[in-house]
Amino acid sequence: MKNISSKAPKAAFSTRAIHSGYDSDTENGALTPPIYMTSTFAFDSAEQGGARFAGEEEGPIYSRLGNPTQSILETRLADLEEGEAALATASGMGAISAAFWTLLAAGDHIVADKTLYGCTFALIEHGLKKFGIEVSYVDCCNVEEITAALNENTKLVYFESPVNPNLRVMDIQKISDEVHRFNSEIKVIVDNTYCTPAIQQPLMLGADLVVHSATKYLGGHGDLIAGAVVGDAETIQRIRFEGLKDMTGAVIAPMTAFLIMRGLKTLELRMQRHSETALIIAERLQQHPAVEVTYYPGLPTDPYYDLAKQQMSLSGGMLAFELKGGLEAGKSFMNKLQMIKRAVSLGDAETLCQHPASMTHSTYTPEQRLAHGVSEGLVRLSIGLEGVEDIWQDIERGLLA
Ligand code: 4LM
């Protein structure tokens, strides 16, 4: 099954997640892609080396500029996200910063959702601002707030959907349409970490670029740190040669690229199971007398239920809740857990529980958290692949506490 992505009709998502971008005939029949554990590549001649550096001849040069194992992963990710090209990076933050540093310059303006993963917020607040980039934080659930913030210097609009950690959902199609109506040059960038392309494909909804923490569901096994940017070939090439090669150097290791491809083979299956279990847990949490509010877009009572149904094929494995006793009750819940791990990160086989205000979103000041919609008592769960009753039993024990 060669180069399956180029065959018509297009193969199923799960088939492409297993085969896309790899031809075993070119690698001695090896079933899984070889790990090219090399920093540099020998040229046949001085002229060939020069031609590769000049971009006149295709072929590897040095692993900071690209590596064959990385390239297979990039082809596969581009295919799954329906993009022209992808760039794999050393972390999600490497992907986001490589994109920002490439697309922005002093004097530019960006619009970002008010709630972002803590380090993305820190990158904008402490990084971009330091270099003279202006930022407007708006509620991206309200498209009018975005369009009102756009100006002639706006270069990009950035948001997560669903949002880490409070699971607000943005109308990707509507935002992309309105922003591009204002100025088609503005890049709409969506962090698709919570969904993965198995659930949501922002480029198909009009976004320009997708970024990922591949550390999470794409890898899926809690054993690596990686990221990706997906979009049109020209922009990805720019990000590769500016933001990645020269500005961040956030290069993915060949072994990590291999592990992500191993994870991708089961991505669709895992997302189905994560979503099924998360819905059951969310329903039970919602009905539990100790719980004040449950955030999960798959609950029919959730304010984002209809929008999520429209743009997400499943509701995903992430949920959050607040207990009636607030922060103290949340901490005591966490400390009672036995099977569920108290850990940041998400998208693993193991169910993980963390407290955003003191952990992933501690980069915000308490005042910023209040203004940006991250409540102090919020508890976040990344629902794993264990048996649903085992997960619930542990949660129930925590709730009784
Ligand atoms: C966490 N998140 O939430 P790297 N984008 C989103 C994220 O959730 C993350 C990143 C980017 C968590 C990490 C501790 C929506 C990370 C950054 O960690 O650089 O791969 O991704 O628990």
Side-chain angles (χ1 to χ4, degrees):
M1 220 171 190
K2 285 182 200 160
N3 198 8
I4 199 149
S5 63
S6 64
K7 293 211 165 177
K10 200 164 186 169
F13 182 91
S14 54
T15 311
R16 289 182 286 128
I18 294 167
H19 292 282
S20 183
Y22 182 56
D23 178 358
S24 57
D25 284 359
T26 63
E27 302 289 354
N28 298 307
L31 179 68
T32 58
I35 303 169
Y36 280 83
M37 221 53 180
T38 184
S39 47
T40 197
F41 297 84
F43 307 127
D44 287 347
S45 63
E47 288 75 18
Q48 185 188 51
R52 288 200 186 165
F53 267 89
E56 290 156 4
E57 181 187 302
E58 293 253 321
I61 298 175
Y62 180 63
S63 285
R64 182 156 42 77
L65 284 63
N67 170 291
T69 315
Q70 174 189 354
S71 302
I72 300 164
L73 169 64
E74 288 173 346
T75 306
R76 197 164 292 178
L77 287 175
D79 189 358
L80 297 179
E81 280 288 8
E82 305 287 347
E84 283 176 6
L87 174 66
T89 58
S91 65
M93 290 315 300
I96 298 165
S97 46
F100 282 176
W101 297 134
T102 304
L103 299 172
L104 297 170
D108 286 345
H109 168 252
I110 75 166
V111 176
D113 184 56
K114 64 179 185 176
T115 318
L116 300 165
Y117 163 61
C119 294
T120 308
F121 176 71
L123 167 63
I124 294 175
E125 199 57 21
H126 309 142
L128 298 187
K129 279 189 172 177
K130 192 166 76 175
F131 292 96
I133 290 150
E134 275 185 46
V135 185
S136 302
Y137 296 108
V138 303
D139 178 355
C140 284
C141 296
N142 184 352
V143 185
E144 289 72 39
E145 276 196 36
I146 301 178
T147 48
L150 298 173
N151 68 43
E152 59 189 12
N153 297 325
T154 309
K155 292 294 185 309
L156 60 90
V157 173
Y158 187 94
F159 58 91
E160 302 162 4
S161 186
V163 168
N164 182 359
N166 57 25
L167 292 137
R168 287 155 55 245
V169 177
M170 315 302 162
D171 191 332
I172 300 172
Q173 177 97 59
K174 198 165 166 193
I175 294 172
S176 304
D177 287 351
E178 291 299 318
V179 170
H180 291 145
R181 199 194 316 279
F182 180 85
N183 178 353
S184 60
E185 299 292 307
I186 297 174
K187 304 273 187 223
V188 174
I189 307 183
V190 180
D191 186 327
N192 202 26
T193 299
Y194 262 39
C195 281
T196 83
I199 290 186
Q200 171 175 275
Q201 292 164 315
L203 302 178
M204 298 292 278
L205 298 167
D208 299 291
L209 290 173
V210 162
V211 293
H212 276 283
S213 170
T215 313
K216 312 298 174 348
Y217 292 106
L218 297 181
H221 294 76
D223 51 10
L224 58 89
I225 299 278
V229 192
V230 191
D232 66 280
E234 194 186 326
T235 309
I236 295 299
Q237 187 76 339
R238 272 193 64 203
I239 298 172
R240 185 188 303 282
F241 286 104
E242 296 176 38
L244 181 67
K245 175 172 81 70
D246 300 333
M247 290 170 154
T248 63
V251 177
I252 192 169
M255 178 74 186
T256 306
F258 171 87
L259 286 172
I260 296 172
M261 286 192 271
R262 185 161 74 166
L264 287 177
K265 292 181 188 187
T266 55
L267 178 66
E268 192 180 47
L269 275 175
R270 288 186 285 109
M271 295 317 291
Q272 285 165 356
R273 174 67 173 262
H274 283 299
S275 301
E276 272 168 32
T277 309
L279 177 59
I280 295 169
I281 300 291
E283 283 168 349
R284 292 185 188 176
L285 278 172
Q286 192 180 37
Q287 281 158 22
H288 198 283
V291 177
E292 180 73 39
V293 53
T294 306
Y295 302 97
Y296 185 66
L299 288 172
T301 48
D302 190 88
Y304 304 104
Y305 178 80
D306 289 335
L307 178 56
K309 272 260 163 308
Q310 209 176 291
Q311 66 186 20
M312 292 161 58
S313 60
L314 297 163
S315 308
M318 296 301 297
L319 57 85
F321 61 94
E322 286 172 55
L323 292 175
K324 290 200 171 126
L327 176 60
E328 285 316 310
K331 287 198 170 158
S332 122
F333 165 82
M334 286 181 67
N335 288 334
K336 284 282 185 298
L337 297 172
Q338 288 182 9
M339 179 193 76
I340 296 172
K341 307 290 182 207
R342 287 171 288 276
V344 297
S345 202
L346 57 108
D348 296 334
E350 295 82 358
T351 299
L352 307 179
C353 180
Q354 69 108 7
H355 174 233
S358 65
M359 298 176 186
T360 52
H361 292 68
S362 57
T363 50
Y364 293 74
T365 62
E367 296 73 31
Q368 284 170 334
R369 275 195 296 278
L370 189 67
H372 290 249
V374 182
S375 75
E376 297 298 303
L378 195 73
V379 175
R380 188 187 79 181
L381 278 171
S382 168
I383 298 297
L385 301 174
E386 304 98 334
V388 61
E389 295 308 332
D390 297 321
I391 299 173
W392 178 247
Q393 198 180 47
D394 210 15
I395 291 175
E396 209 174 22
R397 180 184 307 117
L399 292 175
L400 285 174

